[in-house]
């Protein structure tokens, strides 16, 4: 019996900070460890028509490519909108509303097929989805531990600490955080990382350095090498006989 968590809700300090890169890298590492893992993007805004006129969202495509289980975009993204704007506004522009139930149904269906579901939010932790709910409510409804991706740029300290306050205010568990160096010119980057280390009472799951790799698949594989899956999955209290992922991403039986 492999004792895996059901998955994680991936949030970020903002939009464009590395949630998709980190989510796909996590999926990559899980797949390499033999785990049946699939990515989910409940709400995506910003899509372009492909050669067949089908709307394609880059996040969804990257999560699909990283997953070890095949699924069509519609099975992992119940709400896909054309305009690359706040999702509730993108929905409004199409005369649609985002509701919780279809998202929970999509997640439940994925849970039937995968050991682990990596759910990528949209933007930061408190993005409005409709008149009476937002992404924090969604995280709460999914009841998954949260991984925070901190985009390392000036301003990230405040965004990270406020986001963690909001996560905890919802009674959710911060399973860990990932630093993503999105700004190669950030001043005092190491000192900022050290400050986050001291303030954040949750494990650093990895620091993804600046990876200017234009190919998304190669960038994902490179980023996966910087994640410590053992720290995310492993813990000192494995019940004897369960299997877990070691720091070398190999599934191993825990010592009796
Ligand atoms: N560590 C990094 N090194 C180099 N480029 C990065 C890094 N992290 C993210 N990027 C790039 O920054 C852009 C935004 O990253 P990503 O799409 O993962 O952000 P996001 O938080 O998922 O954004 P959104 O809110 O739109 O979902 C992408 O082009 C990605 O390749
Ligand atoms: C379009 C972008 N890439 C994201 N998908 C949506 C980001 C929503 C941010 C909303 C906000 O906090 O202002
Ligand atoms: Mg994304």
């Amino acid at each position: 019996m492999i004792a895996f968590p059901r998955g994680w809700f991936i949030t970020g300090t903002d939009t464009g900070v590395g949630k998709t890169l980190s989510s796909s890298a996590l999926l990559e590492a899980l797949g390499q460890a033999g785990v049946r893992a699939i990515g989910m993007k409940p709400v995506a805004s910003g899509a372009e028509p492909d050669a067949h006129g089908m709307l394609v969202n880059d996040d969804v495509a990257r999560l699909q490519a990283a997953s070890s289980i095949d699924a069509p975009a519609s099975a992992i993204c119940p709400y896909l909108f054309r305009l690359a704007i706040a999702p509730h506004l993108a929905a409004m522009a199409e005369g649609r509303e985002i509701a919780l139930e279809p998202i929970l149904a999509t997640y439940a269906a994925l849970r039937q097929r995968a050991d682990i579901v990596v759910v990528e939010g949209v933007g930061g932790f408190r993005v409005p989805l409709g008149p009476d709910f937002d992404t924090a409510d969604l995280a709460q409804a999914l009841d998954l531990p949260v991984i925070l991706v901190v985009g390392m740029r000036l301003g990230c300290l405040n965004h990270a600490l406020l986001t963690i306050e909001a996560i905890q205010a919802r009674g959710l568990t911060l399973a860990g955080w990932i630093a993503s160096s999105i700004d190669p010119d950030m001043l005092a980057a190491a000192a900022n990382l050290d400050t986050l280390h001291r303030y954040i009472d949750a494990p650093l799951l990895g620091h993804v350095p600046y990876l200017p790799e234009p190919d998304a698949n190669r960038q994902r594989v490179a980023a996966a090498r910087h994640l410590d899956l053992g720290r995310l999955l492993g813990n000192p209290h494995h019940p004897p006989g369960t299997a877990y992922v070691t720091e070398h991403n190999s599934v191993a039986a825990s010592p009796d």
Side-chain angles (χ1 to χ4, degrees), residues 8-12 19 22-23 26 118-122 145-147 149:
W8 299 276
F9 184 83
I10 314 296
T11 193
K19 294 190 301 298
S22 297
S23 301
L26 184 52
V118 175
V119 182
E120 181 191 347
V122 52
V146 179
I147 293 174
V149 177

Side-chain angles (χ1 to χ4, degrees), residues 110-247:
L110 294 177
R111 281 283 303 141
Q112 295 301 312
R113 300 184 57 201
D115 298 318
I116 285 187
V117 183
V118 175
V119 182
E120 181 191 347
V122 52
F125 186 63
R126 285 279 332 255
V127 173
L129 294 176
D132 57 0
F133 87 115
D134 64 18
T135 45
D137 298 314
L138 172 58
Q140 228 172 347
L142 290 168
D143 193 24
L144 288 170
V146 179
I147 293 174
L148 172 63
V149 177
V150 180
M152 297 302 292
R153 62 184 174 208
L154 187 59
C156 70
L157 302 181
N158 170 57
H159 289 169
L161 299 180
L162 281 176
T163 302
I164 292 169
E165 259 186 28
I167 291 167
Q168 291 169 340
R170 296 301 181 117
L172 293 170
T173 299
L174 180 64
W177 60 288
I178 294 169
S180 187
S181 291
I182 53 175
D183 175 3
D185 304 320
M186 181 182 193
L187 298 178
N192 275 278
L193 194 59
D194 181 55
T195 301
L196 288 166
H197 245 300
R198 283 188 286 111
Y199 275 79
I200 300 177
D201 183 19
L204 173 59
L205 304 175
H207 171 202
V208 179
Y210 185 65
L211 299 169
E213 166 56 67
D215 178 87
N217 291 326
R218 280 203 291 270
Q219 191 187 44
R220 175 186 78 239
V221 172
R225 284 196 282 271
H226 296 276
L227 297 185
D228 183 341
L229 208 51
R231 185 170 295 180
L232 179 57
L233 287 180
N235 66 59
H237 309 299
H238 268 283
T242 56
Y244 66 103
V245 179
T246 67
E247 65 279 7

